[in-house]
Amino acid sequence: MSTLFEIVNPSYLLFPALVGTMIMGLVCPLIGSFLVLRRTVFLGLTLPEIAAAGVAFTFWMQQAGLLPQMGQSERGVAMVGSLVFTFLGMGLLGYLEQRGKGLAEGRLAAAYAFAGALTILFMVFNPAGQIEVLNLLKGEVIALSKAELRLLVAVFGMVLVSMLLFRREFLLTSFDRDLAFLLKGRQVVWDILLYLLAGLIIAFGVIMAGPLLIFGFLVLPALAAKPLVSRMSSFLVVSSALGLVMAFLGFYSSVRLDLPLGPTDVTLGCCLIFLAYGLSRISKRMRPALLALICLALSLSACSVKTAAPPVPEAKAIHAEQLWLAKVKNSTALPLFLPVNNPLRSLAEMAGKISPDDYRQSVMDLLRQNLQTELGQKGFQISLPEDKDARFPAFPADSAGATRMAREGKLSGMVFVTEIWRWEGETQKFVRALVDFKLVRIDDGAIVWERRVQRAIPTPSATNLGEASADAVKAILHDLFAG
């Protein structure tokens, strides 16, 4: 899954997210280059925060009944608030700039702090929608759908065409405003158009990718390109090229290492800045050779093929007569309860007649039940430790600890242990999991078989978090038993 050829295959499930990320990486640096030239880099930080405040405000108004239910998806509603607040904020900042009120950096710093405070307050006022707002502001671009990708292509494509058509006017007014005034007079229209295009990609980008990633795409490629070029046209081209590199390598690293996409991209962008300043201090003759070595190293890393992990062995292959299937240990610090579909039970919980923890199935129960079925099909004779002694807790994945607990409980044969370290199903489109599985011989504590599953598992057909967890469990067990 994590090889280069699988990621660039159009049939790959996360391919829309790759395309969307690269579109942002291509277009955002064009806008960011002009922000760098105008010395208004903090505008790229302030506007995403203002857009985030608009998202939180819209959900609060809708939850309070002051806005009608528009029948749109969560992202559709969030886009309305993001657009409105972004353009209102830009209008206010532009008005203050024209009036010359205060320092530009001071206005942007105050606006950033104010927008951040409003975002937190709006979420506090709307506790029922905090999770939805936080998920939207995190910007899980890896969950980008094909419909959202088409919208992204339309909006960012229009911005790209506008930037190419009016690049001369934008360059003149950004690079030397005094010369632009002498040649063509006061060019307020180009300032307005540039900020409108910036507001458009920020308003949509915050919903698609989150404030952090949009700010990174706006500023970091342009800062990395600055020490490498001496001409304005080259500055724009290199900025977009570095944005594409940042987007692709960030996506590849995120999928391969199971890391969140936004922080991975931003970290890579900062590394590009350090690399660019390092290259700028090397002679021009040595730069091509150094770049060739870097590209070769990245290519070898990207094209490397991971050895397929062995599946769970057959019972006859390891001469197992008795297998104890231990309870799944939860080490996530989260309850991992599955949602309840019975509305009467929910009412009883609210009335305090039953405990929320009573008779609630969890991810651990679901995983163990499926493991029992699959192991039985492998020919194992399955027994549960609590059938012998109800006091048996969940076994850790540490072989020494599992062996010690089994011996203290007077078990013999083998024990299958499972420990969940991470299980995050914040959206219905994928689940991030980190689970350890081990098959341990009790007599000598030897590990007969082991496997660690660590990846984001797509669950596109799930309609709720319970179905997403069930689909993720099935995908994990398919990997375990099919190899």
Side-chain angles (χ1 to χ4, degrees):
M1 169 179 166
S2 59
T3 63
L4 175 65
F5 299 107
E6 289 174 325
I7 289 176
V8 299
N9 190 337
S11 62
Y12 181 52
L13 189 60
L14 300 179
F15 187 74
L18 172 61
V19 176
T21 305
M22 295 192 68
I23 290 174
M24 295 180 194
L26 173 67
V27 179
C28 288
L30 290 177
I31 298 289
S33 299
F34 292 107
L35 296 181
V36 172
L37 289 176
R38 291 167 175 255
R39 296 178 176 85
T40 56
V41 173
F42 285 111
L43 188 65
L45 180 63
T46 303
L47 288 180
E49 193 66 31
I50 293 175
V55 173
F57 177 78
T58 304
F59 274 93
W60 174 41
M61 289 291 98
Q62 195 174 57
Q63 182 69 25
L66 301 178
L67 285 180
Q69 298 288 335
M70 294 176 283
Q72 300 180 12
S73 65
E74 289 181 352
R75 286 200 177 187
V77 174
M79 283 180 187
V80 174
S82 179
L83 282 168
V84 172
F85 265 58
T86 298
F87 287 116
L88 285 177
M90 287 177 56
L92 179 58
L93 290 173
Y95 171 77
L96 294 176
E97 183 177 358
Q98 292 295 324
R99 297 294 299 272
K101 299 294 185 181
L103 294 174
E105 294 83 355
R107 289 193 298 268
L108 292 176
Y112 174 81
F114 185 51
L118 286 180
T119 303
I120 297 174
L121 290 176
F122 291 150
M123 287 193 293
V124 171
F125 296 155
N126 179 26
Q130 281 190 18
I131 296 177
E132 290 80 0
V133 173
L134 288 174
N135 287 337
L136 286 167
L137 295 184
K138 283 176 60 180
E140 291 289 3
V141 68
I142 200 171
L144 199 67
S145 66
K146 292 183 178 179
E148 292 166 343
L149 178 60
R150 288 192 291 268
L151 177 61
L152 188 70
V153 170
V155 174
F156 278 67
M158 181 186 67
V159 173
L160 178 61
V161 171
S162 301
M163 296 299 297
L164 294 177
L165 288 176
F166 306 117
R167 66 185 184 281
R168 296 181 184 274
E169 290 79 6
F170 291 150
L171 277 174
L172 184 59
T173 57
S174 300
F175 184 69
D176 195 333
R177 299 182 67 84
D178 295 333
L179 179 60
F181 179 79
L182 291 175
L183 293 177
K184 297 185 178 182
R186 194 175 183 182
Q187 300 293 304
V188 180
V189 62
W190 302 116
D191 292 338
I192 295 175
L193 180 58
L194 178 62
Y195 288 133
L196 284 176
L197 294 176
L200 199 60
I201 66 168
I202 288 173
F204 279 91
V206 164
I207 302 303
M208 301 293 185
L212 176 65
L213 185 55
I214 286 298
F215 176 67
F217 276 141
L218 281 171
V219 176
L220 298 181
L223 293 178
K226 196 173 182 180
L228 299 177
V229 297
S230 56
R231 299 178 57 187
M232 297 308 304
S233 57
S234 301
F235 179 52
L236 297 177
V237 173
V238 174
S239 295
S240 287
L242 290 178
L244 287 174
V245 172
M246 173 180 165
F248 182 79
L249 292 182
F251 185 88
Y252 173 79
S253 302
S254 173
V255 172
R256 180 144 189 165
L257 302 177
D258 187 30
L259 298 173
L261 182 57
T264 304
D265 274 335
V266 172
T267 302
L268 181 61
C270 294
C271 293
L272 288 177
I273 296 176
F274 288 113
L275 178 62
Y277 276 93
L279 287 175
S280 66
R281 295 182 176 273
I282 299 175
S283 64
K284 293 184 177 180
R285 293 182 180 181
M286 294 294 295
R287 291 180 190 179
L290 183 58
L291 287 174
L293 288 176
I294 294 173
C295 293
L296 178 61
L298 292 175
S299 300
L300 293 176
S301 174
C303 296
S304 61
V305 180
K306 292 177 64 177
T307 304
V312 178
E314 300 280 348
K316 58 184 179 181
I318 56 176
H319 309 289
E321 297 181 357
Q322 182 69 40
L323 177 66
W324 299 92
L325 180 59
K327 294 179 181 179
V328 177
K329 185 174 179 61
N330 177 15
S331 297
T332 65
L334 299 173
L336 299 185
F337 289 123
L338 298 176
V340 179
N341 297 323
N342 185 357
L344 295 179
R345 173 183 170 80
S346 300
L347 292 174
E349 289 180 1
M350 294 174 62
K353 295 182 178 179
I354 61 174
S355 170
D357 298 343
D358 291 340
Y359 308 108
R360 287 283 297 274
Q361 191 179 36
S362 65
V363 172
M364 292 75 74
D365 299 329
L366 189 63
L367 183 56
R368 193 189 192 198
Q369 292 168 5
N370 283 269
L371 278 171
Q372 186 173 3
T373 301
E374 296 290 343
L375 289 170
Q377 294 177 357
K378 284 282 188 178
F380 288 97
Q381 295 182 6
I382 308 297
S383 298
L384 304 180
E386 61 269 27
D387 290 342
K388 184 174 183 179
D389 191 335
R391 294 173 296 178
F392 265 110
F395 281 46
D398 173 54
S399 59
T403 303
R404 176 179 52 79
M405 290 180 62
R407 290 173 180 173
E408 291 175 354
K410 299 181 180 180
L411 304 181
S412 61
M414 293 188 179
V415 59
F416 193 101
V417 295
T418 307
E419 187 165 2
I420 302 177
W421 297 97
R422 180 182 183 188
W423 194 275
E424 298 174 359
E426 297 177 354
T427 70
Q428 300 171 8
K429 297 184 179 180
F430 67 93
V431 173
R432 294 188 182 275
L434 173 56
V435 189
D436 280 334
F437 301 89
K438 286 183 182 178
L439 186 58
V440 182
R441 187 182 295 115
I442 298 175
D443 294 340
D444 55 6
I447 301 176
V448 179
W449 170 88
E450 64 179 333
R451 178 79 176 274
R452 164 167 283 194
V453 175
Q454 180 179 4
R455 65 185 180 100
I457 306 165
T459 56
S461 61
T463 58
N464 56 58
L465 296 180
E467 292 181 3
S469 294
D471 291 347
V473 167
K474 292 179 182 177
I476 291 174
L477 293 187
H478 180 269
D479 288 348
L480 289 183
F481 290 90

